[in-house]
Amino acid sequence: MLHPIFEEASNVIKEEYPDKNQVVFARVDCDQHSDIAQRYRISKYPTLKLFRNGMMMKREYRGQRSVTAIADYIRQQKSNPIQEVQDLEEISTLDRSRRNIVGYFEQKDSDNYRTFERVANILHDDCVFLSAFGAISKPERFSGDNVIYKPPGENAPDMVYLGSITNFDLVYAWTQDKCVPLVREITFENGEELTEEGLPFLILFHMKDDLESLEKFQQEVARQLISEKGTINFLHADCDKFRHPLLHIQKTPADCPVIAIDSFRHMYVFPDFNDLSVPGKLKQFVLDLHSGKLHREFHHGPDPTDVAPGQPVQDLASSPPESSFQKLAPSEHRYTLLREKDEL
């Protein structure tokens, strides 16, 4: 049903951007090319993914399935993601609740700016990108072109990029580290998107006003788990809003704060939040997921080496709670979450 709409949208865009280097529409038969589907974690059909410079964007297209809507989406993606600054006074009035990346360049027609532009095209949903050129930017170019990160918070200190600006991989890695928080909030709006990243979740369930527990969790993730970034998503969730996943692990908001791992097969509970700051405890919990120990012990009881003398082995018939967030994408659980959202 989508194919003729997709094809017509491609024809519309081709007229506006005849250069094939500007926009390419492509389709993949996932039955014939299951390796491609697996590589990009395609689990439902049809799926529309956006790629920039060979990189798949986190956010897939979820708009209306119409020629007009798809064409408008492409036009939006082609718009310039960088705001050009005409006066450095504008920098002092930035919205400091956002993450801002500011580039100061001698000229727009340069390799440095082209690299900055490529990075902005990929990360513009996560940061605000601004640029200044020539005489306007000169006061900020002490030793050549310069890129600065201005984090959220009025008094938060700026951070300067010190690597080569022409090296895309370095600039992208530095900017992504600044624009994408290590611990992100999972909501009804971004839950499906986070699930599609294909990484298991380490989640802190906490009451919305319990910022102390969140700060402690963030500190320990940064201290113990920075090396695990890219193997698991670090998230926090509002206990009141996400009562349903809590029920999967036999918890209620009254039990919060609670830490759990959702492997997309089962959910596993960190034994005691008070042990969060015990050196290595949280990291071992994540390593036990990767090694299969959490899955094994939930199904077959503690590993023999972990059983103290006289300690009973868990009933072999027991099993861990099923994954809850995994079902954000399938219609059954999406309905459940939407129903919960309506009740709120």
Short mmCIF file of all heavy atoms in Angstrom, two decimals, residues 62 185-194 236-245 325 328 333-344:
data_model
loop_
_atom_site.label_atom_id
_atom_site.label_comp_id
_atom_site.label_asym_id
_atom_site.label_seq_id
_atom_site.Cartn_x
_atom_site.Cartn_y
_atom_site.Cartn_z
N ARG A 62 7.88 8.82 11.14
CA ARG A 62 6.62 8.32 11.71
C ARG A 62 5.45 9.22 11.36
O ARG A 62 4.42 9.17 12.00
CB ARG A 62 6.73 8.21 13.24
CG ARG A 62 7.72 7.17 13.72
CD ARG A 62 7.53 6.89 15.21
NE ARG A 62 8.51 5.95 15.69
CZ ARG A 62 9.72 6.28 16.13
NH1 ARG A 62 10.07 7.56 16.16
NH2 ARG A 62 10.56 5.37 16.55
N GLU A 185 16.05 10.46 29.70
CA GLU A 185 14.72 10.14 30.23
C GLU A 185 13.93 9.39 29.17
O GLU A 185 13.90 9.79 28.01
CB GLU A 185 13.97 11.40 30.65
CG GLU A 185 12.60 11.08 31.23
CD GLU A 185 11.83 12.30 31.70
OE1 GLU A 185 12.26 13.44 31.37
OE2 GLU A 185 10.81 12.13 32.39
N ILE A 186 13.28 8.31 29.58
CA ILE A 186 12.38 7.61 28.68
C ILE A 186 10.96 8.09 28.95
O ILE A 186 10.54 8.21 30.10
CB ILE A 186 12.48 6.07 28.81
CG1 ILE A 186 11.61 5.38 27.76
CG2 ILE A 186 12.16 5.59 30.22
CD1 ILE A 186 11.86 3.89 27.64
N THR A 187 10.25 8.43 27.88
CA THR A 187 8.88 8.95 27.98
C THR A 187 7.98 8.19 27.03
O THR A 187 8.43 7.34 26.25
CB THR A 187 8.86 10.45 27.61
OG1 THR A 187 9.20 10.59 26.21
CG2 THR A 187 9.84 11.26 28.46
N PHE A 188 6.69 8.52 27.06
CA PHE A 188 5.78 7.90 26.10
C PHE A 188 6.15 8.30 24.67
O PHE A 188 5.94 7.54 23.74
CB PHE A 188 4.34 8.34 26.40
CG PHE A 188 3.80 7.76 27.67
CD1 PHE A 188 3.58 8.57 28.77
CD2 PHE A 188 3.50 6.42 27.79
CE1 PHE A 188 3.09 8.05 29.96
CE2 PHE A 188 3.00 5.89 28.97
CZ PHE A 188 2.80 6.71 30.06
N GLU A 189 6.69 9.51 24.54
CA GLU A 189 6.97 10.03 23.21
C GLU A 189 8.22 9.40 22.57
O GLU A 189 8.25 9.17 21.36
CB GLU A 189 7.15 11.56 23.25
CG GLU A 189 5.87 12.34 23.50
CD GLU A 189 5.35 12.21 24.93
OE1 GLU A 189 6.17 11.99 25.85
OE2 GLU A 189 4.11 12.28 25.13
N ASN A 190 9.25 9.11 23.38
CA ASN A 190 10.49 8.61 22.78
C ASN A 190 10.75 7.13 23.04
O ASN A 190 11.79 6.60 22.66
CB ASN A 190 11.69 9.44 23.27
CG ASN A 190 12.02 9.20 24.75
OD1 ASN A 190 11.34 8.43 25.42
ND2 ASN A 190 13.05 9.85 25.25
N GLY A 191 9.80 6.46 23.73
CA GLY A 191 10.02 5.06 24.10
C GLY A 191 10.25 4.15 22.91
O GLY A 191 11.18 3.32 22.93
N GLU A 192 9.45 4.31 21.87
CA GLU A 192 9.61 3.45 20.70
C GLU A 192 10.95 3.73 20.01
O GLU A 192 11.66 2.81 19.59
CB GLU A 192 8.46 3.68 19.72
CG GLU A 192 8.48 2.75 18.52
CD GLU A 192 7.24 2.90 17.64
OE1 GLU A 192 6.31 3.64 18.03
OE2 GLU A 192 7.22 2.28 16.58
N GLU A 193 11.30 4.99 19.95
CA GLU A 193 12.57 5.38 19.33
C GLU A 193 13.76 4.78 20.07
O GLU A 193 14.70 4.26 19.45
CB GLU A 193 12.65 6.91 19.33
CG GLU A 193 13.97 7.48 18.88
CD GLU A 193 14.01 8.97 19.13
OE1 GLU A 193 13.06 9.67 18.73
OE2 GLU A 193 15.00 9.44 19.72
N LEU A 194 13.73 4.83 21.40
CA LEU A 194 14.82 4.25 22.18
C LEU A 194 14.88 2.74 22.01
O LEU A 194 15.96 2.15 21.94
CB LEU A 194 14.65 4.62 23.66
CG LEU A 194 14.91 6.08 24.01
CD1 LEU A 194 14.48 6.37 25.45
CD2 LEU A 194 16.38 6.42 23.84
N HIS A 236 16.24 7.00 32.72
CA HIS A 236 15.45 7.17 33.94
C HIS A 236 14.00 7.39 33.55
O HIS A 236 13.71 7.92 32.47
CB HIS A 236 16.00 8.29 34.83
CG HIS A 236 15.87 9.67 34.25
ND1 HIS A 236 14.88 10.56 34.63
CD2 HIS A 236 16.63 10.35 33.34
CE1 HIS A 236 15.03 11.70 33.98
NE2 HIS A 236 16.09 11.60 33.19
N ALA A 237 13.09 6.97 34.43
CA ALA A 237 11.66 7.00 34.11
C ALA A 237 10.87 7.46 35.32
O ALA A 237 11.24 7.19 36.47
CB ALA A 237 11.19 5.61 33.67
N ASP A 238 9.78 8.14 35.07
CA ASP A 238 8.87 8.62 36.10
C ASP A 238 8.04 7.45 36.62
O ASP A 238 7.30 6.80 35.87
CB ASP A 238 7.96 9.70 35.49
CG ASP A 238 7.05 10.36 36.51
OD1 ASP A 238 6.63 9.67 37.46
OD2 ASP A 238 6.73 11.55 36.34
N CYS A 239 8.16 7.16 37.90
CA CYS A 239 7.45 6.01 38.50
C CYS A 239 5.94 6.11 38.31
O CYS A 239 5.27 5.10 38.06
CB CYS A 239 7.77 5.91 39.98
SG CYS A 239 9.38 5.23 40.35
N ASP A 240 5.40 7.30 38.47
CA ASP A 240 3.95 7.47 38.35
C ASP A 240 3.48 7.18 36.94
O ASP A 240 2.45 6.53 36.73
CB ASP A 240 3.54 8.89 38.74
CG ASP A 240 3.23 9.00 40.23
OD1 ASP A 240 2.82 7.97 40.82
OD2 ASP A 240 3.43 10.08 40.81
N LYS A 241 4.22 7.66 35.96
CA LYS A 241 3.81 7.48 34.57
C LYS A 241 4.02 6.06 34.08
O LYS A 241 3.27 5.56 33.25
CB LYS A 241 4.56 8.46 33.66
CG LYS A 241 4.14 9.91 33.86
CD LYS A 241 4.85 10.81 32.87
CE LYS A 241 4.39 12.26 33.04
NZ LYS A 241 5.10 13.17 32.09
N PHE A 242 5.05 5.41 34.60
CA PHE A 242 5.38 4.06 34.12
C PHE A 242 5.07 3.00 35.18
O PHE A 242 5.91 2.17 35.53
CB PHE A 242 6.85 4.00 33.69
CG PHE A 242 7.10 4.67 32.37
CD1 PHE A 242 7.55 5.97 32.31
CD2 PHE A 242 6.86 4.00 31.18
CE1 PHE A 242 7.77 6.60 31.09
CE2 PHE A 242 7.07 4.61 29.95
CZ PHE A 242 7.52 5.92 29.91
N ARG A 243 3.85 3.04 35.67
CA ARG A 243 3.40 2.03 36.63
C ARG A 243 3.37 0.63 36.01
O ARG A 243 3.61 -0.37 36.69
CB ARG A 243 2.00 2.37 37.15
CG ARG A 243 1.97 3.62 38.03
CD ARG A 243 0.54 4.07 38.30
NE ARG A 243 0.52 5.24 39.16
CZ ARG A 243 0.29 5.21 40.46
NH1 ARG A 243 0.08 4.04 41.06
NH2 ARG A 243 0.30 6.32 41.17
N HIS A 244 3.04 0.57 34.73
CA HIS A 244 2.90 -0.74 34.07
C HIS A 244 4.23 -1.52 34.05
O HIS A 244 4.26 -2.69 34.47
CB HIS A 244 2.36 -0.56 32.65
CG HIS A 244 2.09 -1.85 31.95
ND1 HIS A 244 0.94 -2.58 32.13
CD2 HIS A 244 2.85 -2.56 31.08
CE1 HIS A 244 1.00 -3.67 31.39
NE2 HIS A 244 2.15 -3.68 30.74
N PRO A 245 5.35 -0.92 33.61
CA PRO A 245 6.61 -1.67 33.69
C PRO A 245 6.99 -2.04 35.12
O PRO A 245 7.58 -3.10 35.35
CB PRO A 245 7.64 -0.69 33.08
CG PRO A 245 6.83 0.19 32.19
CD PRO A 245 5.51 0.35 32.88
N PHE A 325 9.25 -2.79 28.16
CA PHE A 325 9.56 -1.73 27.19
C PHE A 325 9.75 -2.30 25.79
O PHE A 325 9.59 -1.60 24.82
CB PHE A 325 10.82 -0.97 27.62
CG PHE A 325 10.59 -0.09 28.80
CD1 PHE A 325 10.88 -0.51 30.07
CD2 PHE A 325 10.03 1.16 28.64
CE1 PHE A 325 10.66 0.31 31.17
CE2 PHE A 325 9.81 1.99 29.72
CZ PHE A 325 10.12 1.56 30.99
N LEU A 328 6.95 -1.66 23.44
CA LEU A 328 6.55 -0.31 23.07
C LEU A 328 6.20 -0.25 21.59
O LEU A 328 5.35 0.51 21.18
CB LEU A 328 7.69 0.67 23.36
CG LEU A 328 7.85 1.06 24.82
CD1 LEU A 328 9.20 1.72 25.02
CD2 LEU A 328 6.75 1.98 25.27
N HIS A 333 1.17 -3.58 23.25
CA HIS A 333 1.65 -2.80 24.40
C HIS A 333 1.54 -1.31 24.14
O HIS A 333 1.35 -0.54 25.06
CB HIS A 333 3.09 -3.17 24.71
CG HIS A 333 3.54 -2.64 26.05
ND1 HIS A 333 2.94 -3.01 27.21
CD2 HIS A 333 4.50 -1.75 26.38
CE1 HIS A 333 3.52 -2.39 28.23
NE2 HIS A 333 4.46 -1.61 27.75
N ARG A 334 1.63 -0.90 22.86
CA ARG A 334 1.46 0.51 22.56
C ARG A 334 0.07 0.94 23.02
O ARG A 334 -0.10 2.01 23.59
CB ARG A 334 1.63 0.76 21.06
CG ARG A 334 1.56 2.22 20.70
CD ARG A 334 1.61 2.43 19.21
NE ARG A 334 2.86 1.93 18.66
CZ ARG A 334 2.96 1.49 17.42
NH1 ARG A 334 1.91 1.43 16.64
NH2 ARG A 334 4.12 1.08 16.96
N TYR A 335 -0.92 0.06 22.82
CA TYR A 335 -2.26 0.38 23.26
C TYR A 335 -2.30 0.53 24.78
O TYR A 335 -2.89 1.46 25.32
CB TYR A 335 -3.24 -0.72 22.83
CG TYR A 335 -4.59 -0.63 23.49
CD1 TYR A 335 -5.52 0.32 23.08
CD2 TYR A 335 -4.92 -1.47 24.56
CE1 TYR A 335 -6.74 0.42 23.70
CE2 TYR A 335 -6.13 -1.37 25.18
CZ TYR A 335 -7.05 -0.43 24.75
OH TYR A 335 -8.27 -0.32 25.37
N THR A 336 -1.59 -0.37 25.48
CA THR A 336 -1.56 -0.31 26.94
C THR A 336 -0.96 1.01 27.42
O THR A 336 -1.51 1.67 28.30
CB THR A 336 -0.73 -1.48 27.51
OG1 THR A 336 -1.29 -2.71 27.03
CG2 THR A 336 -0.73 -1.49 29.02
N LEU A 337 0.17 1.39 26.82
CA LEU A 337 0.82 2.63 27.24
C LEU A 337 -0.03 3.84 26.92
O LEU A 337 -0.13 4.77 27.71
CB LEU A 337 2.18 2.76 26.56
CG LEU A 337 3.27 1.83 27.11
CD1 LEU A 337 4.52 1.97 26.27
CD2 LEU A 337 3.57 2.15 28.55
N LEU A 338 -0.66 3.83 25.75
CA LEU A 338 -1.51 4.97 25.38
C LEU A 338 -2.71 5.05 26.31
O LEU A 338 -3.15 6.14 26.68
CB LEU A 338 -1.97 4.82 23.93
CG LEU A 338 -0.88 5.04 22.87
CD1 LEU A 338 -1.42 4.75 21.49
CD2 LEU A 338 -0.34 6.46 22.95
N ARG A 339 -3.22 3.89 26.70
CA ARG A 339 -4.35 3.89 27.63
C ARG A 339 -3.91 4.47 28.97
O ARG A 339 -4.62 5.29 29.57
CB ARG A 339 -4.87 2.46 27.81
CG ARG A 339 -6.14 2.39 28.68
CD ARG A 339 -6.57 0.94 28.83
NE ARG A 339 -5.58 0.19 29.57
CZ ARG A 339 -5.35 -1.10 29.37
NH1 ARG A 339 -5.99 -1.78 28.44
NH2 ARG A 339 -4.45 -1.73 30.11
N GLU A 340 -2.71 4.08 29.44
CA GLU A 340 -2.20 4.63 30.69
C GLU A 340 -2.02 6.13 30.58
O GLU A 340 -2.33 6.88 31.48
CB GLU A 340 -0.86 3.98 31.03
CG GLU A 340 -0.99 2.53 31.45
CD GLU A 340 0.37 1.93 31.80
OE1 GLU A 340 1.35 2.69 31.80
OE2 GLU A 340 0.44 0.74 32.09
N LYS A 341 -1.53 6.57 29.41
CA LYS A 341 -1.30 8.00 29.21
C LYS A 341 -2.62 8.76 29.27
O LYS A 341 -2.72 9.84 29.86
CB LYS A 341 -0.62 8.22 27.86
CG LYS A 341 -0.20 9.66 27.60
CD LYS A 341 0.50 9.76 26.26
CE LYS A 341 0.93 11.18 26.00
NZ LYS A 341 1.57 11.32 24.67
N ASP A 342 -3.66 8.20 28.64
CA ASP A 342 -4.99 8.84 28.68
C ASP A 342 -5.52 8.93 30.10
O ASP A 342 -6.12 9.92 30.49
CB ASP A 342 -5.98 8.06 27.80
CG ASP A 342 -5.64 8.19 26.32
OD1 ASP A 342 -4.93 9.15 25.97
OD2 ASP A 342 -6.08 7.35 25.52
N GLU A 343 -5.25 7.85 30.87
CA GLU A 343 -5.76 7.86 32.25
C GLU A 343 -5.07 8.93 33.08
O GLU A 343 -5.64 9.49 34.00
CB GLU A 343 -5.53 6.48 32.87
CG GLU A 343 -6.47 5.42 32.29
CD GLU A 343 -6.12 4.02 32.80
OE1 GLU A 343 -5.12 3.90 33.53
OE2 GLU A 343 -6.87 3.08 32.46
N LEU A 344 -3.80 9.24 32.73
CA LEU A 344 -3.08 10.28 33.47
C LEU A 344 -3.71 11.63 33.23
O LEU A 344 -3.64 12.53 34.04
CB LEU A 344 -1.61 10.30 33.02
CG LEU A 344 -0.76 9.12 33.49
CD1 LEU A 344 0.60 9.19 32.83
CD2 LEU A 344 -0.58 9.15 34.99
#
